[in-house]
């Protein structure tokens, strides 16, 4: 028994673990996939699917704000103002939106929450979107903008 343990100790760990595994080693992925699209088209589709699944999107800021600066001026005299590139601020706004979308997906997909709890949480998220509509001026495309609860006309 000690001889087997000593021999095993001298064997590289990845080989030892492979010998002890009962599961077969997964076959390598094929280099080519048998679908009717070229590699660039496949990558574009894959990026789109990943963005949708992860709730991450590529959003473009309105042209007139590119390179701009957000300046926060304090009301207290002799206090220094704070400036932030609008590109960085816009990125943070988009990240908040994307994370709200992920939260929304997790709530809707949850098995632990009752339907009335899902509706209540969804209403809070919609209210957050409504609060963030102030920043819609920064978005180039209308479909990227925040939408709150729509009024019934």
């Amino acid at each position: 028994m000690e001889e087997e343990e000593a021999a095993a100790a001298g064997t590289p760990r990845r080989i030892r673990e492979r010998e002890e595994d009962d599961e077969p080693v997964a076959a390598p992925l094929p280099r080519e996939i048998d679908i009717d699209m070229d590699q660039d088209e496949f990558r574009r589709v894959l990026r789109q699917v990943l963005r949708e699944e992860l709730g991450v999107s590529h959003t473009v800021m309105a042209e007139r704000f590119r390179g701009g600066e957000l300046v926060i001026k304090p009301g207290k005299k002799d206090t220094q103002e704070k400036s932030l590139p609008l590109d960085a601020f816009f990125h943070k706004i988009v990240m908040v939106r994307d994370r709200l979308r992920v939260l929304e997906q997790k709530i809707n997909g949850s098995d632990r929450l009752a339907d009335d709890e899902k509706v209540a949480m969804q209403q809070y998220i919609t209210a957050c979107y409504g609060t963030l509509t102030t920043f819609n001026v920064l978005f180039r495309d209308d479909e990227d903008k925040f939408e709150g609860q729509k009024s019934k006309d």
Side-chain angles (χ1 to χ4, degrees):
M1 185 93 161
E2 288 179 14
E3 288 178 30
E4 288 177 25
E5 288 175 10
T11 307
R13 189 161 135 204
R14 67 179 185 282
I15 295 172
R16 242 186 2 249
E17 288 173 354
R18 198 174 292 152
E19 289 172 355
E20 295 169 1
D21 259 348
D22 290 336
E23 292 184 35
V25 177
L29 294 174
R31 298 193 120 228
E32 292 184 30
I33 299 173
D34 191 22
I35 52 178
D36 191 24
M37 66 174 73
D38 64 14
Q39 191 174 22
D40 291 334
E41 176 71 7
F42 176 74
R43 286 182 175 171
R44 188 190 64 74
V45 170
L46 183 59
R47 279 189 207 101
Q48 181 181 351
V49 169
L50 288 172
R51 283 186 191 124
E52 289 172 7
E53 289 300 313
L54 297 174
V56 176
S57 61
H58 177 72
T59 306
V60 181
M61 187 166 54
E63 192 64 39
R64 68 182 177 153
F65 293 111
R66 287 195 185 152
E69 187 176 44
L70 174 67
V71 179
I72 304 170
K73 293 183 181 182
K76 187 176 179 182
K77 274 191 165 185
D78 301 327
T79 307
Q80 188 175 5
E81 63 184 38
K82 172 77 174 164
S83 63
L84 177 71
L86 264 180
D87 294 328
F89 181 72
F90 180 72
H91 176 72
K92 297 210 180 266
I93 295 294
V94 169
M95 292 303 295
V96 167
R97 187 200 59 193
D98 290 346
R99 288 182 177 146
L100 280 171
R101 287 180 178 171
V102 170
L103 179 61
E104 197 171 18
Q105 289 172 352
K106 288 185 181 263
I107 288 169
N108 290 333
S110 174
D111 295 334
R112 295 182 180 183
L113 295 171
D115 286 344
D116 60 327
E117 293 173 314
K118 288 181 183 181
V119 168
M121 289 185 179
Q122 187 65 42
Q123 288 173 340
Y124 282 114
I125 291 172
T126 301
C128 290
Y129 285 141
T131 302
L132 293 167
T133 57
T134 301
F135 302 112
N136 280 347
V137 69
L138 296 173
F139 291 89
R140 183 186 74 185
D141 302 321
D142 287 341
E143 63 267 9
D144 291 330
K145 295 179 178 181
F146 292 101
E147 279 186 25
Q149 190 169 11
K150 300 200 184 230
S151 61
K152 298 175 186 173
D153 292 330

